[in-house]
Amino acid sequence: MPTVEGTLCLTGHHLILSSRQDNTEELWLLHSNIDSIEKRFVGSVGSIIVKCKDLRVIQLDIPGMEECLNIASSIEALSTLDSVSLMYPFFYRPMFEVIEDGWNSFLPEAAFKDLESMTDEWRLSEVNKDFSVCPSYPPLVAVPKDVDDDTLRKVATFRHSGRFPVLSYYHKKNGMVMMRASQPLTGTNGRRCKEDEKLINATLRPGKRGYIIDTRTINVAQQAKARGGGFESEANYPQWRRIHKALERSNVLQESLIKLVEACNDQSHSMDRWLSKLEASNWQTHVKEILTTACLAAQCIDREGASVLVHGTEGTDSTLQVTSLAQIILDPACRTIRGFQGLVEREWLQAGHPFQQRCAQSAYSNSKPRQEAPVFLLFLDCVWQILRQFPCSFEFSESFLVLLFEHAYASQFGTFLGNSTAERAKLSLPEKTVSLWSWVNRPQELERLTNPLYEANSLVIWPSVAPQSLLLWEGVFLRWNRSSKCLDEAYEEMVHIIEYNKELQNKVNTLRRQLAQLETEDPLLQTP
């Protein structure tokens, strides 16, 4: 970033740097985007290093030690507000016309209508309408038609935090389904629940087997038994084959992000050091493991013709990474801008991923991580890997993924506030805040986020998970470390070529029509 001289202003929610130079953009930084600050002094000039959740680092040089300390303490106080209701989304008033209220754009009822047009084997249950059966589930969930609400209540007591198996995805091609849940509470005594067995067996076709993909290693799943958790035993679930994968828990992921960002900011210019730091972060390994597991789930459904149940411990983190990525692989609708919004809404927000907890800190925070973890960022990274391998199959560009990363950590919109639908309802977010989707679905924003190479592809897409195929997501991790001027110019040139190609295609079509018309008018002109 270039050096800018200007006036610093702190408001209740923003740090604003207004330049005295012409043609320089004002910096408006949300206090909620600040991850940590550092103070340095050289003589009478103090520097405040502001480290942001979007991985930006901004240095403010302020003359006068006392003034510098006062500003630093104000920034610290304003960037660590505990009360959600004091956050900017509650005070933000849109400067744009809200054409579509994003809070009503992706309701479960609408998604269920699509399902009803394909099958009559499922129903929308209101068993959780007051959030009493499962606090992290939405009020409406899709379950097998033959399973009544009393059965669901019993199953909820047998699953961690009440997260009983619900429908995640229906594969139109062969009628197979993917369900998600949390771990069963079998414990050391091998407790069983007939209602749970009935519920998941209701998703199987006669004579067919299903797969349970447990996102924990067998050792971790065994250890969970001692704490009252566990897994489905072969004896009680004979029609299901259990597969264990090794997706890491949140604390390991947070440590991995910190190490990765540290490697990306390393100024030593030593190749060995960069590569060893990148490897030591294990970030690419996590990307590989998540993609591999999502491919496995998609393979079971599409190639094996089997239904799948995915769960880890809580069913709110790695489970959602797998179910949502499997849908991107299988379902072309999820690769459109609107379809991807629906996927994030359905499989992350309504499914109870605790955004407020997971995104409270990013890579620079000095305080001890509590429940922070880049679970959603890892998912976006995996989507970017697939987008890069299939650049024409996605309606949205990388910019959309970067936008979602930024807004998950700090936003003027209420979409990612709270940890569940219940919390969002309690905070009255739909009434008191603007939805991110209201902003995204404006024609001018959609145009900015659209991939110019997009050509609808109705096929299943199988990404390569070979280490050589997976790259560092520079658009996020190296975004602030170097100029994107060359990339921007290359992108503009690509858009220009595509537009020119369309023009030529239209000319060809016009000439063909003219030729056909001439041939019908004069038989002598007909081509042999």
Side-chain angles (χ1 to χ4, degrees), residues 103-134:
W103 289 111
N104 298 321
S105 296
F106 304 101
L107 300 173
E109 299 92 323
F112 188 70
K113 276 202 173 74
D114 294 342
L115 180 67
E116 273 185 318
S117 68
M118 296 183 278
T119 175
D120 61 356
E121 295 171 344
W122 296 80
R123 70 183 182 90
L124 212 49
S125 168
E126 291 186 358
V127 70
N128 197 44
K129 64 176 183 286
D130 57 357
F131 306 109
S132 60
V133 175
C134 175

Side-chain angles (χ1 to χ4, degrees), residues 58 85 272:
I58 299 162
S85 57
D272 287 349

Side-chain angles (χ1 to χ4, degrees), residues 8 144 180 248 310 391 402 455 461 499:
L8 184 69
R180 51 176 160 74
E248 288 292 359
V310 185
V402 175
E455 284 177 26
I461 55 175
E499 291 303 321

Side-chain angles (χ1 to χ4, degrees), residues 9 12 33 38 55 78 84 111 165 190 210 215 230 244 251 256 262 264 269 285 306 327 329 340 366 422 438 520 526:
C9 173
N33 193 356
E38 290 172 17
L55 309 182
L78 290 164
V84 178
T215 61
H244 288 272
N251 56 334
S256 177
E262 189 190 313
C264 292
H269 304 297
T285 306
Q327 290 177 60
I329 293 165
F340 192 72
N366 297 322
S438 300
T520 53
Q526 285 188 1

